[in-house]
Amino acid sequence: MSDLAIHVQDVSLTLQTNVGPVSILKNINLQVKKGESIGLVGPSGSGKSSLLMLLGGLEKATKGQVQVLKRNFNSMGEDALAKFRRMHMGIIFQSFHLIPTMTALENVATPMELSGKPNALKFAEDILSEVNLEHRLHHYPAQMSGGEQQRTALARAVCIQPDILLADEPTGNLDEHNGGQIIELLFELVTKFGSTLVLVTHDNEIATLCDRVIQLRNGKIFSNSKSLS
């Protein structure tokens, strides 16, 4: 068990809505080894993004346990979870979530500064160069294309050399060309830093690039294998 990065045991998630409780995830069990890449697929509403939120400590399980790097998320408060994310996790969202008043360089450097990493600006510049944005260091998000913004978001997510990298539909707002570039860079950086990757995607071809593919249906794991059936 010492080689596990993620251990999810009998996890369920129920959300309260105006029309009553809605069961999002049901008795999920999942183990992910350190350095392994996992693709989460399934139809809209199957629970993919909700599971990713649990793995990032951004949502609390209603039942069961979520352990990441041997830390039990159930017993951690919001401040402890935020600190854990700063030190160990990178998260990429479909909608980029860049800070509009910061340049690309500042957006990438900020997580490193918050985690106490020295030479944050220099390292941010190096990472942005790796994603081919050395010419956009001092540009603001509004001055960049969608593909450039997502590359900036990718650089920000990997800048701390995270143990865990969570990606929620990172190509969802991009055309095929830019989406392909993002995926190629994503896997290159995951390999470079030895990160454990959990990737939510609607694209089965992208999912099969991962070591393992997890299919969700109606909040349950339908299959767990190398290939899609």
Side-chain angles (χ1 to χ4, degrees):
M1 302 291 280
S2 61
D3 64 340
L4 286 184
I6 295 168
H7 191 191
V8 175
Q9 297 175 282
D10 298 320
V11 159
S12 295
L13 175 66
T14 301
L15 298 181
Q16 299 298 325
T17 71
N18 293 334
V19 295
V22 176
S23 181
I24 307 298
L25 295 171
K26 306 162 189 174
N27 301 315
I28 298 291
N29 288 282
L30 178 64
Q31 295 182 3
V32 183
K33 294 180 180 178
K34 292 179 180 177
E36 189 177 14
S37 58
I38 299 295
L40 293 181
V41 300
S44 178
S46 61
K48 305 184 299 297
S49 293
S50 294
L51 179 54
L52 201 76
M53 294 284 280
L54 289 177
L55 299 181
L58 298 167
E59 188 72 67
K60 285 278 190 179
T62 308
K63 181 177 77 72
Q65 289 194 350
V66 176
Q67 291 185 338
V68 179
L69 302 177
K70 298 184 179 179
R71 296 292 300 275
N72 187 343
F73 279 8
N74 302 59
S75 61
M76 296 170 67
E78 291 302 320
D79 289 345
L81 286 166
K83 183 177 179 180
F84 182 87
R85 283 191 294 270
R86 285 200 303 269
M87 302 302 295
H88 299 286
M89 283 188 170
I91 304 177
I92 310 169
F93 298 98
Q94 178 177 340
S95 299
F96 318 143
H97 289 306
L98 299 175
I99 300 172
T101 56
M102 288 186 174
T103 64
L105 185 63
E106 292 166 339
N107 263 286
V108 175
T110 295
M112 290 184 284
E113 292 170 340
L114 290 173
S115 62
K117 185 178 179 66
N119 304 315
L121 285 173
K122 177 63 171 67
F123 197 80
E125 185 174 340
D126 291 343
I127 288 289
L128 283 164
S129 294
E130 288 202 40
V131 297
N132 305 313
L133 286 178
E134 58 274 7
H135 61 299
R136 294 295 198 193
L137 299 180
H138 305 292
H139 287 70
Y140 293 94
Q143 298 172 310
M144 295 186 286
S145 69
E148 289 170 337
Q149 289 184 59
Q150 190 60 299
R151 277 185 274 157
T152 302
L154 172 58
R156 181 182 59 185
V158 302
C159 66
I160 63 164
Q161 303 180 36
D163 297 301
I164 309 285
L165 184 60
L166 307 178
D168 191 5
E169 298 278 12
T171 64
N173 282 335
L174 304 175
D175 59 34
E176 183 176 353
H177 173 72
N178 281 305
Q181 286 188 331
I182 289 296
I183 292 301
E184 184 177 348
L185 288 167
L186 173 66
F187 278 93
E188 285 178 4
L189 293 168
V190 163
T191 300
K192 177 176 180 177
F193 296 129
S195 304
T196 301
L197 172 66
V198 181
L199 170 67
V200 169
T201 180
H202 63 278
D203 189 323
N204 290 342
E205 289 187 15
I206 291 176
T208 54
L209 297 174
C210 296
D211 297 321
R212 197 154 38 107
V213 180
I214 311 294
Q215 292 188 71
L216 277 79
R217 292 186 186 176
N218 298 317
K220 297 180 179 180
I221 290 180
F222 175 73
S223 69
N224 181 344
S225 64
K226 170 56 185 172
S227 60
L228 285 162
S229 56

PDB file of all heavy atoms in Angstrom, residues 111-127:
ATOM      1  N   PRO A 111       1.623  30.359  -7.425  1.00  0.00           N
ATOM      2  CA  PRO A 111       1.568  29.135  -6.596  1.00  0.00           C
ATOM      3  C   PRO A 111       2.915  28.793  -5.965  1.00  0.00           C
ATOM      4  O   PRO A 111       2.957  28.304  -4.834  1.00  0.00           O
ATOM      5  CB  PRO A 111       1.146  28.052  -7.594  1.00  0.00           C
ATOM      6  CG  PRO A 111       0.480  28.792  -8.698  1.00  0.00           C
ATOM      7  CD  PRO A 111       1.193  30.097  -8.805  1.00  0.00           C
ATOM      8  N   MET A 112       4.008  29.042  -6.677  1.00  0.00           N
ATOM      9  CA  MET A 112       5.324  28.749  -6.116  1.00  0.00           C
ATOM     10  C   MET A 112       5.656  29.694  -4.977  1.00  0.00           C
ATOM     11  O   MET A 112       6.231  29.295  -3.959  1.00  0.00           O
ATOM     12  CB  MET A 112       6.381  28.837  -7.222  1.00  0.00           C
ATOM     13  CG  MET A 112       6.301  27.720  -8.226  1.00  0.00           C
ATOM     14  SD  MET A 112       7.618  27.777  -9.462  1.00  0.00           S
ATOM     15  CE  MET A 112       7.041  29.112 -10.495  1.00  0.00           C
ATOM     16  N   GLU A 113       5.291  30.967  -5.132  1.00  0.00           N
ATOM     17  CA  GLU A 113       5.525  31.929  -4.060  1.00  0.00           C
ATOM     18  C   GLU A 113       4.719  31.555  -2.818  1.00  0.00           C
ATOM     19  O   GLU A 113       5.215  31.645  -1.689  1.00  0.00           O
ATOM     20  CB  GLU A 113       5.172  33.332  -4.547  1.00  0.00           C
ATOM     21  CG  GLU A 113       6.132  33.858  -5.615  1.00  0.00           C
ATOM     22  CD  GLU A 113       5.657  35.139  -6.277  1.00  0.00           C
ATOM     23  OE1 GLU A 113       4.445  35.424  -6.200  1.00  0.00           O
ATOM     24  OE2 GLU A 113       6.495  35.839  -6.870  1.00  0.00           O
ATOM     25  N   LEU A 114       3.473  31.107  -3.015  1.00  0.00           N
ATOM     26  CA  LEU A 114       2.629  30.724  -1.889  1.00  0.00           C
ATOM     27  C   LEU A 114       3.160  29.488  -1.174  1.00  0.00           C
ATOM     28  O   LEU A 114       2.972  29.335   0.044  1.00  0.00           O
ATOM     29  CB  LEU A 114       1.199  30.472  -2.371  1.00  0.00           C
ATOM     30  CG  LEU A 114       0.414  31.708  -2.825  1.00  0.00           C
ATOM     31  CD1 LEU A 114      -0.926  31.303  -3.429  1.00  0.00           C
ATOM     32  CD2 LEU A 114       0.189  32.666  -1.658  1.00  0.00           C
ATOM     33  N   SER A 115       3.809  28.592  -1.915  1.00  0.00           N
ATOM     34  CA  SER A 115       4.358  27.376  -1.303  1.00  0.00           C
ATOM     35  C   SER A 115       5.791  27.558  -0.821  1.00  0.00           C
ATOM     36  O   SER A 115       6.405  26.608  -0.326  1.00  0.00           O
ATOM     37  CB  SER A 115       4.286  26.211  -2.298  1.00  0.00           C
ATOM     38  OG  SER A 115       5.064  26.477  -3.449  1.00  0.00           O
ATOM     39  N   GLY A 116       6.324  28.780  -0.954  1.00  0.00           N
ATOM     40  CA  GLY A 116       7.649  29.077  -0.430  1.00  0.00           C
ATOM     41  C   GLY A 116       8.800  28.641  -1.305  1.00  0.00           C
ATOM     42  O   GLY A 116       9.948  28.574  -0.848  1.00  0.00           O
ATOM     43  N   LYS A 117       8.540  28.379  -2.577  1.00  0.00           N
ATOM     44  CA  LYS A 117       9.614  27.943  -3.471  1.00  0.00           C
ATOM     45  C   LYS A 117      10.504  29.127  -3.845  1.00  0.00           C
ATOM     46  O   LYS A 117      10.002  30.174  -4.250  1.00  0.00           O
ATOM     47  CB  LYS A 117       9.020  27.334  -4.741  1.00  0.00           C
ATOM     48  CG  LYS A 117      10.064  26.730  -5.681  1.00  0.00           C
ATOM     49  CD  LYS A 117       9.397  26.099  -6.890  1.00  0.00           C
ATOM     50  CE  LYS A 117      10.419  25.508  -7.847  1.00  0.00           C
ATOM     51  NZ  LYS A 117      11.142  24.368  -7.273  1.00  0.00           N
ATOM     52  N   PRO A 118      11.818  29.002  -3.701  1.00  0.00           N
ATOM     53  CA  PRO A 118      12.712  30.107  -4.072  1.00  0.00           C
ATOM     54  C   PRO A 118      12.792  30.279  -5.588  1.00  0.00           C
ATOM     55  O   PRO A 118      12.497  29.353  -6.349  1.00  0.00           O
ATOM     56  CB  PRO A 118      14.063  29.673  -3.490  1.00  0.00           C
ATOM     57  CG  PRO A 118      13.996  28.178  -3.439  1.00  0.00           C
ATOM     58  CD  PRO A 118      12.557  27.848  -3.163  1.00  0.00           C
ATOM     59  N   ASN A 119      13.184  31.479  -6.004  1.00  0.00           N
ATOM     60  CA  ASN A 119      13.371  31.784  -7.436  1.00  0.00           C
ATOM     61  C   ASN A 119      12.119  31.480  -8.259  1.00  0.00           C
ATOM     62  O   ASN A 119      12.191  30.929  -9.360  1.00  0.00           O
ATOM     63  CB  ASN A 119      14.565  31.008  -7.999  1.00  0.00           C
ATOM     64  CG  ASN A 119      15.850  31.281  -7.237  1.00  0.00           C
ATOM     65  OD1 ASN A 119      16.163  32.430  -6.935  1.00  0.00           O
ATOM     66  ND2 ASN A 119      16.582  30.228  -6.895  1.00  0.00           N
ATOM     67  N   ALA A 120      10.963  31.852  -7.707  1.00  0.00           N
ATOM     68  CA  ALA A 120       9.691  31.516  -8.342  1.00  0.00           C
ATOM     69  C   ALA A 120       9.572  32.110  -9.738  1.00  0.00           C
ATOM     70  O   ALA A 120       9.138  31.438 -10.676  1.00  0.00           O
ATOM     71  CB  ALA A 120       8.525  31.977  -7.468  1.00  0.00           C
ATOM     72  N   LEU A 121       9.964  33.359  -9.912  1.00  0.00           N
ATOM     73  CA  LEU A 121       9.835  34.014 -11.221  1.00  0.00           C
ATOM     74  C   LEU A 121      10.719  33.345 -12.269  1.00  0.00           C
ATOM     75  O   LEU A 121      10.299  33.154 -13.414  1.00  0.00           O
ATOM     76  CB  LEU A 121      10.160  35.496 -11.114  1.00  0.00           C
ATOM     77  CG  LEU A 121       9.083  36.374 -10.460  1.00  0.00           C
ATOM     78  CD1 LEU A 121       9.601  37.784 -10.252  1.00  0.00           C
ATOM     79  CD2 LEU A 121       7.817  36.401 -11.317  1.00  0.00           C
ATOM     80  N   LYS A 122      11.921  32.984 -11.882  1.00  0.00           N
ATOM     81  CA  LYS A 122      12.841  32.330 -12.826  1.00  0.00           C
ATOM     82  C   LYS A 122      12.302  30.955 -13.234  1.00  0.00           C
ATOM     83  O   LYS A 122      12.309  30.586 -14.420  1.00  0.00           O
ATOM     84  CB  LYS A 122      14.226  32.169 -12.196  1.00  0.00           C
ATOM     85  CG  LYS A 122      15.230  31.426 -13.089  1.00  0.00           C
ATOM     86  CD  LYS A 122      15.502  32.183 -14.384  1.00  0.00           C
ATOM     87  CE  LYS A 122      16.652  31.583 -15.180  1.00  0.00           C
ATOM     88  NZ  LYS A 122      16.341  30.239 -15.718  1.00  0.00           N
ATOM     89  N   PHE A 123      11.789  30.214 -12.249  1.00  0.00           N
ATOM     90  CA  PHE A 123      11.258  28.898 -12.568  1.00  0.00           C
ATOM     91  C   PHE A 123      10.001  29.017 -13.410  1.00  0.00           C
ATOM     92  O   PHE A 123       9.777  28.220 -14.327  1.00  0.00           O
ATOM     93  CB  PHE A 123      10.969  28.115 -11.287  1.00  0.00           C
ATOM     94  CG  PHE A 123      10.814  26.638 -11.505  1.00  0.00           C
ATOM     95  CD1 PHE A 123      11.917  25.819 -11.641  1.00  0.00           C
ATOM     96  CD2 PHE A 123       9.555  26.062 -11.591  1.00  0.00           C
ATOM     97  CE1 PHE A 123      11.780  24.458 -11.866  1.00  0.00           C
ATOM     98  CE2 PHE A 123       9.395  24.703 -11.810  1.00  0.00           C
ATOM     99  CZ  PHE A 123      10.513  23.900 -11.942  1.00  0.00           C
ATOM    100  N   ALA A 124       9.171  30.031 -13.114  1.00  0.00           N
ATOM    101  CA  ALA A 124       7.961  30.256 -13.911  1.00  0.00           C
ATOM    102  C   ALA A 124       8.320  30.564 -15.357  1.00  0.00           C
ATOM    103  O   ALA A 124       7.671  30.084 -16.291  1.00  0.00           O
ATOM    104  CB  ALA A 124       7.154  31.402 -13.313  1.00  0.00           C
ATOM    105  N   GLU A 125       9.359  31.347 -15.549  1.00  0.00           N
ATOM    106  CA  GLU A 125       9.807  31.674 -16.908  1.00  0.00           C
ATOM    107  C   GLU A 125      10.262  30.412 -17.638  1.00  0.00           C
ATOM    108  O   GLU A 125       9.952  30.217 -18.822  1.00  0.00           O
ATOM    109  CB  GLU A 125      10.942  32.685 -16.840  1.00  0.00           C
ATOM    110  CG  GLU A 125      11.403  33.184 -18.189  1.00  0.00           C
ATOM    111  CD  GLU A 125      12.432  34.294 -18.094  1.00  0.00           C
ATOM    112  OE1 GLU A 125      12.525  34.932 -17.028  1.00  0.00           O
ATOM    113  OE2 GLU A 125      13.146  34.519 -19.091  1.00  0.00           O
ATOM    114  N   ASP A 126      10.981  29.538 -16.922  1.00  0.00           N
ATOM    115  CA  ASP A 126      11.460  28.292 -17.529  1.00  0.00           C
ATOM    116  C   ASP A 126      10.297  27.386 -17.930  1.00  0.00           C
ATOM    117  O   ASP A 126      10.296  26.797 -19.022  1.00  0.00           O
ATOM    118  CB  ASP A 126      12.382  27.552 -16.554  1.00  0.00           C
ATOM    119  CG  ASP A 126      13.704  28.279 -16.330  1.00  0.00           C
ATOM    120  OD1 ASP A 126      14.052  29.156 -17.148  1.00  0.00           O
ATOM    121  OD2 ASP A 126      14.371  27.979 -15.322  1.00  0.00           O
ATOM    122  N   ILE A 127       9.280  27.271 -17.055  1.00  0.00           N
ATOM    123  CA  ILE A 127       8.136  26.412 -17.340  1.00  0.00           C
ATOM    124  C   ILE A 127       7.328  26.962 -18.514  1.00  0.00           C
ATOM    125  O   ILE A 127       6.884  26.211 -19.397  1.00  0.00           O
ATOM    126  CB  ILE A 127       7.239  26.270 -16.098  1.00  0.00           C
ATOM    127  CG1 ILE A 127       7.923  25.396 -15.049  1.00  0.00           C
ATOM    128  CG2 ILE A 127       5.884  25.682 -16.454  1.00  0.00           C
ATOM    129  CD1 ILE A 127       8.013  23.936 -15.413  1.00  0.00           C
TER     130      ILE A 127
END
